Amino acid sequence: MGVGEGKSIGEWFGPNTVAQVLKKLALFDEWNSLAVYVSMDNTVVIEDIKKMCWCPAQSSSVAHSSAHLHRSALGQNKNTAGLCPGWKPLLLIIPLRLGINHINPVYIDAFKECFKMPQSLGALGGKPNNAYYFIGFLGNELIYLDPHTTQSFVDSEENGTVDDESFHCQQAPHRMKIMNLDPSVALGFFCKEECDFDNWCSLVQKEIVKQQSLRMFELVQKHPPHWPPFVPPSKPEVTTTGAELIESTDKLFELEEEFEILSV
């Protein structure tokens, strides 16, 4: 997915690239009913989110049949992306640029307010060559986790569950001064129900939009008319797995070795 976003294997992903990759990956989990919305141009559009999160109700006979087949396939009752009458749980990601080379101090208070919201999932960011997961603040310091540990991939078990015990951050949280943060960040919020999203909108209007002269992001009711029409994301066609990149690199090494032999 990173290759599809213009990133080569081994490159660092910025917060916006991570957000775009997460949005695509969520569409490949057929058991997943999560709706992932990534804001564009620092603007969150309420109309688009509600269009994406509301699913038409299926007939009871179709719904029962689909649920039974899905339980048989996974060995447990999980909702599917196609079986979600009502509101789909929302993962809202807002990529931001809070300055040029350093954070503009005018954004700090609003940035802190986001951590106070009950829907907050924290923020992605860090500094050059250091990616962190920020979960809160204390005074003018941010509290973050650094969960990077190289280990084997997660392998799902026969009943569909995943043993992810060792994939949680084992180290204690760290702290860093807010002004040391790279200005490129991504805020995360989770709204399980529509009322959670409505409450989040109210908090943003009260604490972010009305209180700040220079806003971190905009919250608008209607889709901007000068934007392309909003189309809820669908499972993308995978044009590359990255394997051809690895193969081309291997061929390059082979050519270099042949050239060295010829030179000798």
Side-chain angles (χ1 to χ4, degrees):
M1 289 301 165
V3 171
E5 292 296 321
K7 293 287 185 180
S8 298
I9 295 173
E11 274 193 79
W12 284 87
F13 286 22
N16 180 59
T17 304
V18 170
Q20 297 299 335
V21 167
L22 286 174
K23 182 173 71 172
K24 289 183 178 181
L25 286 175
L27 299 169
F28 283 86
D29 292 329
E30 295 182 358
W31 54 266
N32 174 34
S33 64
L34 192 68
V36 181
Y37 179 90
V38 181
S39 66
M40 291 177 54
D41 296 336
N42 296 0
T43 304
V44 177
V45 183
I46 296 173
E47 178 184 43
D48 293 347
I49 288 178
K50 296 213 171 186
K51 183 186 294 184
M52 181 177 67
C53 288
W54 271 107
C55 299
Q58 297 180 341
S59 66
S60 58
S61 58
V62 174
H64 181 270
S65 176
S66 299
H68 176 74
L69 287 173
H70 191 69
R71 280 195 296 269
S72 300
L74 290 184
Q76 56 187 20
N77 187 5
K78 288 185 180 180
N79 203 5
T80 66
L83 179 62
C84 55
W87 177 267
K88 294 171 69 176
L90 169 68
L91 171 59
L92 170 59
I93 307 176
I94 309 176
L96 299 171
R97 185 80 188 183
L98 303 180
I100 300 176
N101 297 318
H102 303 282
I103 280 194
N104 189 328
V106 300
Y107 295 121
I108 290 179
D109 288 341
F111 190 62
K112 289 180 179 179
E113 285 297 328
C114 291
F115 288 103
K116 297 179 183 179
M117 298 177 182
Q119 299 85 357
S120 175
L121 293 178
L124 302 177
K127 49 190 178 180
N129 297 328
N130 288 274
Y132 299 139
Y133 175 39
F134 297 94
I135 57 176
F137 70 92
L138 181 63
N140 286 320
E141 291 185 317
L142 293 171
I143 302 170
Y144 70 90
L145 299 173
D146 186 5
H148 296 94
T149 304
T150 303
Q151 54 183 314
S152 300
F153 68 95
V154 176
D155 193 8
S156 59
E157 299 174 357
E158 289 184 4
N159 62 357
T161 61
V162 172
D163 179 15
D164 63 354
E165 182 179 353
S166 67
F167 288 81
H168 295 277
C169 190
Q170 304 297 319
Q171 298 178 345
H174 305 277
R175 292 191 293 181
M176 67 176 285
K177 292 182 179 178
I178 294 179
M179 291 305 297
N180 291 340
L181 180 67
D182 187 274
S184 180
V185 298
L187 301 173
F189 302 94
F190 177 69
C191 303
K192 184 177 181 180
E193 307 287 349
E194 185 179 17
C195 59
D196 297 324
F197 177 64
D198 292 338
N199 175 256
W200 179 83
C201 292
S202 298
L203 290 172
V204 169
Q205 288 285 359
K206 179 182 177 182
E207 304 296 343
I208 306 296
V209 176
K210 292 183 179 179
Q211 297 293 331
Q212 308 299 325
S213 57
L214 189 60
R215 300 169 185 171
M216 282 200 309
F217 60 89
E218 296 285 348
L219 178 65
V220 298
Q221 186 69 43
K222 296 292 184 180
H223 185 86
H226 59 281
W227 282 15
F230 176 75
V231 179
S234 57
K235 186 176 178 179
E237 293 293 330
V238 180
T239 57
T240 175
T241 61
E244 62 269 29
L245 247 120
I246 298 172
E247 290 171 2
S248 63
T249 305
D250 290 341
K251 289 178 181 177
L252 180 63
F253 288 145
E254 289 173 5
L255 288 172
E256 287 178 349
E257 289 175 357
E258 289 177 7
F259 180 75
E260 289 175 0
I261 293 170
L262 289 172
S263 298
V264 173

